[in-house]
Structure formats: C-alpha cells, structure tokens
Amino acid sequence: MTRCLRHARHYIASLLLLWGFSMPAAATLFRIGLITPPGHQWTDAADAFASAVATQYGGEHEVIVYPSRQLGTEAQMLQLLQTGALDFAILTVSELSNRLPRFNALYAPYRVGSAQQAAELLGSAAARELLAGLPDELGVIGTGYTMAGMRHILSRKPLAQVQDLQGIKVRITPLAPVRDFYRLLGAAPTPMPLSSVFDALANGQIDAIDMDLESIWTLRYYEYADTLLLSGHMMFPAVGLMSARGSLRLPAHLRQALAALLQQQLEAVLNRYPALEAQWLNQLQATGITITAVDAAWFGEAPVQWQQHTLPP
Ligand code: BEZ
C-alpha cells in the first residue's frame, strides 16, 4: 500500500513537472525490516517508529516498514544493514548470538523468572554494554532491546514429566544456546524459522514448539497442539539495529534522533509485554487446552548443565 502511494506520488510529480509545476522536495526514505507479521508487537513498534518520524519530521524524512521477511531472512537483513542497503531492522538477538557468543548469556535458562524481570534485565546498563562493540564487529549500531517475553513449550503430546521430552522433535529458533538446552533434555531440537512453524505443526512434522505466548495465541498454534507447558524457561530478546555505514550519510543529530525514536518504541513493547502475557494466557486458558505451570526444578539438572556447557568460562 505504502509502495503504491509512493509510486502514485512519483507519477503525479512527473506529470506536474511536465506541466511546469514543481512539488516539494521528496522525503528521505528510510527502510526498516523485520520478520514478524503485521499485528505482532515488534511490527507495531516499527509502525509506531514510522509514525513518530512522520510526526517529528513532517514529510522531510519517511520510514517504510517491511514486515514478514519481505526483505529476506534475518541473516540477509543483517547483510543489507552492513552494506548500507537497509537502514534499520528489528532482529532476534539470535542473529547476533550466532556470531558473537557473549549474547548467549541472554538465553541462560531461568536467569530471569518472569517477563517483568526480563524487561528489567534487557533495560539494564549491563545488557546495553553488550551492544557497544557492534559497529566495529558487525557494522551495525544497536539502539537497544525489546523482547517477545518468555519461552514455553507447546506440545501435541502430553508432558507430565521431563522424561516425556526424550526423543520428541521440538521446533526451536535456529540458535545454539536453545539447541543445547533441548539436547541436554534428551529431546530432538529441530531448528526452523518462525514462518515455517505453522505448517510443520499442522502436518505433524514436529511434536512440539519452543515458543512465546504471543505467537501461540495470535498465530493460533494452540489449534494444532493442546498441551502448554508454561515453563518460562528463557527470555526471547530482540534488538533494534541501525546500519553503521548508512548512518554515516546522516548528520550526527539526525542519526541520534532516529535511533532514539526507534528505541522509544522498542522499550514501550518491553514494558507492556508483562501485562500482555497475562492477557494472552487468559485467552489460552479460555480455549480449554491443558496448561501446566512448571519451574526450573521440573527440568532437573539441565539448567545448571547448560551454564557449564554453553557459556564461555
Ligand atoms: C521465533 O523464532 O520463535 C520467533 C521469532 C520472532 C518473534 C517471535 C518468535
């Protein structure tokens, strides 16, 4: 739709020029990419960022949002940011963690006990410090974090005890710390992008998914798997990124102002997630699926073994 409007604007501008009129100078267009679909909290944040830029810069600068992997996978978007072909992205921290192991610490099982604690940790100076080296290491500037709350296990099979995870195929985000956790539990972690989960669950290719309450509810995964282990075993962080190369084309004040506008929206998501999780849980409870709340003890030694196995000494 936005692209159609732009094309229409260019078409009208060409006509006016032909007739001897002129249009105001075209806005600088910035692009922001992400993998989540419209309606997801991260996509709402990207849309709110675009609105905030429109309000603040009144047509001088404009942000176009590309959700649902329209610009490619997260790895491809990271490459686009590195070359300066993409200006902004909201990516899962897994994309950083796969390259820079210090980010693995954010996936430590039961490091935080709730979405509220996760929001506090991700808003902390210590977490921000992890982003400081990104311009030199990856050619991107980290504006800060957001998240998709806590991870749980939604399964087609009953999960009465941890042994029930033995050998079952659990879809995971392609990410070593998560893979390690499920291997320690004796499950068969199956890496898969978010966009493939619905079909894989519906056609029985996988037995369970490692997922957040937002996706379980809004993407209706619960219709194909009716056991929810409410474990909250990990948080699921995301990061706002700006192209370091692209930002060199901007005056410093604009670069900082745009980064701050994006981060405001990401923090708004971070802060509203705890209340939203409670709401999605209520809605899931109303569907009648089996929901069992468990804590770290349910997972036996795995959370502690994970610390020894995954984190650098
Ligand atoms: C996932 O891979 O599970 C995921 C990715 C982005 C947002 C939410 C979930």
Side-chain angles (χ1 to χ4, degrees):
M1 180 66 184
T2 318
R3 237 178 294 169
C4 288
L5 286 175
R6 260 172 55 216
H7 288 146
R9 185 186 155 92
H10 288 153
Y11 178 69
I12 292 166
S14 314
L15 279 181
L16 287 171
L17 274 175
L18 273 177
W19 294 335
F21 295 100
S22 67
M23 288 253 297
T28 319
L29 293 180
F30 296 105
R31 302 193 302 161
I32 181 165
L34 65 169
I35 61 168
T36 52
H40 188 278
Q41 289 297 311
W42 300 356
T43 314
D44 286 354
D47 289 338
F49 169 52
S51 301
V53 171
T55 305
Q56 186 139 335
Y57 293 101
E60 195 186 340
H61 305 299
E62 193 183 323
V63 174
I64 303 180
V65 180
Y66 293 87
S68 308
R69 303 213 313 177
Q70 283 175 29
L71 299 181
T73 62
E74 290 198 328
Q76 288 165 333
M77 282 191 269
L78 186 58
Q79 275 181 356
L80 292 174
L81 288 168
Q82 287 169 330
T83 61
L86 176 62
D87 307 291
F88 298 95
I90 302 171
L91 302 188
T92 62
V93 166
S94 58
E95 218 40 56
L96 304 182
S97 191
N98 283 332
R99 292 165 177 79
L100 302 166
R102 68 173 180 276
F103 285 97
N104 285 351
L106 297 177
Y107 295 97
Y110 292 104
R111 160 135 321 162
V112 293
S114 64
Q116 182 57 45
Q117 287 176 12
E120 284 161 20
L121 191 151
L122 293 170
S124 70
R128 267 199 307 279
E129 187 60 28
L130 294 175
L131 303 172
L134 289 182
D136 291 335
E137 293 164 317
L138 294 179
V140 290
I141 298 165
T143 67
Y145 299 94
T146 190
M147 67 169 178
M150 304 301 291
R151 300 303 268 192
H152 309 278
I153 304 174
L154 183 74
S155 172
R156 295 154 59 91
K157 300 182 174 178
L159 295 176
Q161 52 195 354
V162 72
Q163 287 77 8
D164 294 335
L165 285 170
Q166 292 278 333
I168 75 166
K169 278 188 166 181
V170 185
R171 174 273 167 178
I172 59 161
T173 308
L175 176 60
V178 181
R179 180 204 60 203
D180 292 352
F181 184 58
Y182 282 97
R183 281 192 182 157
L184 288 166
L185 292 165
T190 309
M192 192 177 282
L194 187 65
S195 53
S196 307
V197 173
F198 190 89
D199 286 348
L201 197 60
N203 67 25
Q205 187 190 336
I206 46 175
D207 304 307
I209 59 176
D210 179 275
M211 194 51 72
D212 56 84
L213 291 180
E214 177 176 13
S215 305
I216 292 172
W217 171 250
T218 59
L219 301 177
R220 307 182 83 84
Y221 295 142
Y222 65 88
E223 289 181 357
Y224 295 92
D226 62 2
T227 293
L228 174 58
L229 193 75
L230 197 67
S231 51
H233 51 275
M234 279 177 196
M235 58 181 172
F236 198 73
V239 63
L241 296 175
M242 183 175 190
S243 165
R245 178 178 275 204
S247 77
L248 292 176
R249 296 193 284 259
L250 307 175
H253 67 89
L254 180 59
R255 188 185 318 155
Q256 281 156 15
L258 292 173
L261 284 178
L262 175 57
Q263 192 48 34
Q264 263 170 27
Q265 300 309 327
L266 296 182
E267 270 165 32
V269 171
L270 203 56
N271 294 328
R272 66 179 176 253
Y273 225 96
L276 285 173
E277 273 198 345
Q279 195 180 301
W280 291 316
L281 180 57
N282 280 340
Q283 284 161 315
L284 284 165
Q285 274 160 341
T287 66
I289 63 168
T290 303
I291 302 180
T292 310
V294 300
D295 60 14
W298 192 87
F299 290 96
E301 295 300 307
V304 174
Q305 286 171 340
W306 184 97
Q307 298 277 349
Q308 295 152 358
H309 182 273
T310 302
L311 285 185

